[in-house]
Amino acid sequence: MSVEIKVLDEKSIGKYFQAAALGYILEDLPENLREKILRGFTTGTITLNLNEANQLVNNLALSLNKICNAKESTPKLYTAGDTSDREIISEMAPGTPYEFSKDKKGPQLCSWLISIAQTLVENANKPVDMPMFLRTYVFSKYRDFREVEGEKVNGISLYVASAGALISIIAKQARGNSNFEFYLVPDASVESLQNAPRIYTITHATGNGLEGLEKRIRGFLRVENISLELTLLLSIALHVSDVTKHVMEMPPLTGLFNVFEKFRLINIECSGKRPLVVWERPLTITHILQVLDKRGALDILNMLYYASKHSNMVEKAGDVISQCISALFAYTETGSLDAVFLCGASAQRISDQFGDLCRKNKSDEACKGELYFKRLTGKVARLVGFHHGLF
């Protein structure tokens, strides 16, 4: 018996979820199976024997088992169309349907996918409908007006894509009346699949005194006037810097330069019954990390993060964090220090205001705010001094 993994259409986000899943486990597979995956991903079909299919699915289940507890966010399943996403994915495992509990939280999708791994291969080639959460770009028609109603995929292809959605989701956040999901996916090139194990190992890293990536993203998002794009780029840059610095056996930061750009950030609004892509962009953080690393200024990222935790205590503190983030990005792109000078002066004023609160109210939180804004001011001054050859 042969098993076929259908690589989903390039106009379906499901293809990039499949790339995330297969790339993540690539290094754990035998060489011949790795070659089949890379070759098949370019041709559109990955043909496996029964043993290879079992190896692949079991490795995916083991990987999910490692990351389930490290993630708070899971992809939303939608109810638009004649059949809900929950009903569609349940077809992968007849007799073990995915069920929501009464409180709508239910068993996590991650846990359910692990639980059906042993029987999934038995239904690997069974045709099932394409669920809505894998059709984010297309709705009822592709952009070239080709119909997708009734589009079919088989069980194992759906399993791989579903696992990839869990592997690649990095955060979920509400802003105003909208809810957003953020994904980091390979661009589906062979190079991106080959580098996926390193990138996802870093993004999933926790422990050793590290805050998880999702926590960092949510921390920065407390400052409402920072754009979502800059928030994600800054959070990932900070997380990458900390992980490569503090976690043993991680590749050095310089070994990852220009790898990041093979991955894409996708922002999906998931408020309604259908998903909507708000924007997507490459993970352009190599230049940011290179410039700051060269000038010994990577710690600015940490100071911005910790200062942002206290920004709601002083009026305009959030504005200053936003100003400093924009100034930092402008500096790495243009080399101009004008906005950096203004950031430093503004951070000093906010630090003074926190200092007044600290002494007047004997507030530990205010004292911490003073400390972090003062340290931010110092890091900015060091960056300016380094730029002028003073360090």
Side-chain angles (χ1 to χ4, degrees), residues 258-270:
N258 299 316
V259 171
F260 303 113
E261 284 68 22
K262 295 293 181 183
F263 290 76
R264 302 188 66 80
L265 287 168
I266 303 176
N267 175 11
I268 294 175
E269 184 178 351
C270 56

Side-chain angles (χ1 to χ4, degrees), residues 310-319 349-350 353-354 357 366:
H310 305 278
S311 60
N312 63 338
M313 294 189 66
V314 169
E315 188 178 3
K316 303 296 184 182
D319 293 340
R349 286 196 298 272
I350 295 297
Q353 292 179 52
F354 271 108
L357 284 175

Side-chain angles (χ1 to χ4, degrees), residues 2-59:
S2 64
V3 172
E4 287 193 350
I5 299 175
K6 174 188 175 185
V7 179
L8 300 180
D9 194 289
E10 64 181 9
K11 296 178 182 179
S12 162
I13 198 172
K15 175 177 182 176
Y16 303 96
F17 291 160
Q18 287 179 318
L22 296 175
Y24 185 43
I25 64 170
L26 204 59
E27 290 183 347
D28 299 323
L29 301 175
E31 184 176 355
N32 66 318
L33 185 49
R34 291 201 299 268
E35 290 174 356
K36 278 191 174 185
I37 289 170
L38 294 175
R39 184 170 60 250
F41 213 87
T42 60
T43 61
T45 303
I46 303 168
T47 304
L48 308 174
N49 60 40
L50 199 58
N51 181 56
E52 290 169 332
N54 272 306
Q55 279 185 297
L56 188 148
V57 170
N58 287 336
N59 271 279

Side-chain angles (χ1 to χ4, degrees), residues 40-98:
F41 213 87
T42 60
T43 61
T45 303
I46 303 168
T47 304
L48 308 174
N49 60 40
L50 199 58
N51 181 56
E52 290 169 332
N54 272 306
Q55 279 185 297
L56 188 148
V57 170
N58 287 336
N59 271 279
L60 271 179
L62 287 172
S63 296
L64 290 176
N65 194 43
K66 286 190 290 186
I67 67 171
C68 272
N69 294 330
K71 283 182 181 267
E72 296 179 34
S73 297
T74 56
K76 177 179 176 178
L77 299 181
Y78 295 88
T79 57
D82 296 331
T83 310
S84 70
D85 284 358
R86 180 186 63 80
E87 293 173 294
I88 291 173
I89 66 170
S90 292
E91 294 178 25
M92 290 189 289
T96 314
Y98 179 76

Side-chain angles (χ1 to χ4, degrees), residues 13-263:
I13 198 172
K15 175 177 182 176
Y16 303 96
F17 291 160
Q18 287 179 318
L22 296 175
Y24 185 43
I25 64 170
L26 204 59
E27 290 183 347
D28 299 323
L29 301 175
E31 184 176 355
N32 66 318
L33 185 49
R34 291 201 299 268
E35 290 174 356
K36 278 191 174 185
I37 289 170
L38 294 175
R39 184 170 60 250
F41 213 87
T42 60
T43 61
T45 303
I46 303 168
T47 304
L48 308 174
N49 60 40
L50 199 58
N51 181 56
E52 290 169 332
N54 272 306
Q55 279 185 297
L56 188 148
V57 170
N58 287 336
N59 271 279
L60 271 179
L62 287 172
S63 296
L64 290 176
N65 194 43
K66 286 190 290 186
I67 67 171
C68 272
N69 294 330
K71 283 182 181 267
E72 296 179 34
S73 297
T74 56
K76 177 179 176 178
L77 299 181
Y78 295 88
T79 57
D82 296 331
T83 310
S84 70
D85 284 358
R86 180 186 63 80
E87 293 173 294
I88 291 173
I89 66 170
S90 292
E91 294 178 25
M92 290 189 289
T96 314
Y98 179 76
E99 298 285 357
F100 292 116
S101 64
K102 292 179 180 178
D103 61 7
K104 297 300 182 184
K105 293 180 181 178
Q108 289 188 355
L109 177 61
C110 203
S111 301
W112 181 76
L113 288 174
I114 293 169
S115 73
I116 67 168
Q118 295 301 315
T119 57
L120 182 279
V121 178
E122 297 172 13
N123 301 287
N125 291 324
K126 178 186 176 183
V128 294
D129 292 330
M130 178 80 83
M132 186 63 64
F133 80 100
L134 299 184
R135 290 170 47 189
T136 305
Y137 298 149
V138 297
F139 299 126
S140 62
K141 294 184 180 182
Y142 288 121
R143 289 174 185 167
D144 59 6
F145 301 108
R146 177 158 46 90
E147 296 287 347
V148 297
E149 292 292 347
E151 184 177 10
K152 294 285 186 179
V153 66
N154 65 6
I156 194 169
S157 305
L158 177 54
Y159 186 90
V160 171
S162 301
L166 283 159
I167 289 165
S168 61
I169 192 169
I170 55 174
K172 210 167 186 173
Q173 183 73 19
R175 265 203 173 180
N177 296 321
S178 299
N179 296 308
F180 299 97
E181 294 175 342
F182 307 109
Y183 293 88
L184 177 64
V185 297
D187 66 8
S189 65
V190 168
E191 188 176 355
S192 71
L193 268 70
Q194 290 171 327
N195 282 288
R198 289 197 294 170
I199 296 299
Y200 286 125
T201 296
I202 291 172
T203 56
H204 293 147
T206 56
N208 298 300
L210 292 168
E211 294 194 27
L213 174 59
E214 186 166 1
K215 190 172 182 179
R216 294 184 195 273
I217 292 170
R218 288 178 172 170
F220 273 123
L221 285 175
R222 283 193 296 264
V223 185
E224 292 187 359
N225 50 356
I226 305 176
S227 77
L228 292 175
E229 289 184 67
L230 288 187
T231 295
L232 290 175
L233 289 174
L234 186 67
S235 300
I236 295 172
L238 168 58
H239 187 72
V240 167
S241 172
D242 271 4
V243 171
T244 55
K245 191 187 304 179
H246 295 120
V247 178
M248 296 293 291
E249 299 180 359
M250 282 292 175
L253 184 58
T254 52
L256 293 165
F257 290 160
N258 299 316
V259 171
F260 303 113
E261 284 68 22
K262 295 293 181 183
F263 290 76

